[in-house]
Amino acid sequence: MSFISNNKAFTLIELLVTTAILGILAATSIAIFDQFKTKAYNVETLSAYRQIIQIAYALENEIVNAPRIAPHQAALSSCNKSTTRDIFCMV
């Protein structure tokens, strides 16, 4: 009596085991993909925060290094440069 058969079809147990293995692999890969997605979102958010901080530092540097001219002096200096007289120069 031989247990080896010449049947080339899969048994139900073989199909269930294969399906279970594929299900486990799919579940772990989805969990890992979700972790990568979360990490990528965190990196993107951190990059956006860094850009905002760099812009704030650039604006602060621009404000600190801006020339100190009083408003009435700014109007007079623009009148001296222009050849035509406008309302601001008549003050």
Side-chain angles (χ1 to χ4, degrees):
M1 189 172 201
S2 173
F3 288 106
I4 301 174
S5 66
N6 291 336
N7 193 359
K8 294 190 179 193
F10 292 108
T11 64
L12 181 61
I13 298 297
E14 290 173 337
L15 291 175
L16 288 174
V17 167
T18 306
T19 305
I21 291 171
L22 289 175
I24 291 169
L25 289 174
T28 56
S29 64
I30 288 173
I32 291 171
F33 176 73
D34 191 40
Q35 288 176 353
F36 286 144
K37 189 171 138 182
T38 304
K39 192 169 190 174
Y41 176 76
N42 291 341
V43 168
E44 183 180 358
T45 305
L46 184 63
S47 175
Y49 285 146
R50 284 183 183 157
Q51 288 177 356
I52 291 171
I53 290 170
Q54 286 176 347
I55 290 170
Y57 281 143
L59 286 174
E60 179 187 21
N61 189 23
E62 190 172 318
I63 290 170
V64 167
N65 294 332
R68 310 265 183 213
I69 299 176
H72 65 281
Q73 290 176 342
L76 292 176
S77 65
S78 66
C79 291
N80 293 338
K81 293 179 184 174
S82 66
T83 57
T84 61
R85 297 184 61 88
D86 55 357
I87 294 174
F88 296 113
C89 294
M90 293 181 189
V91 176

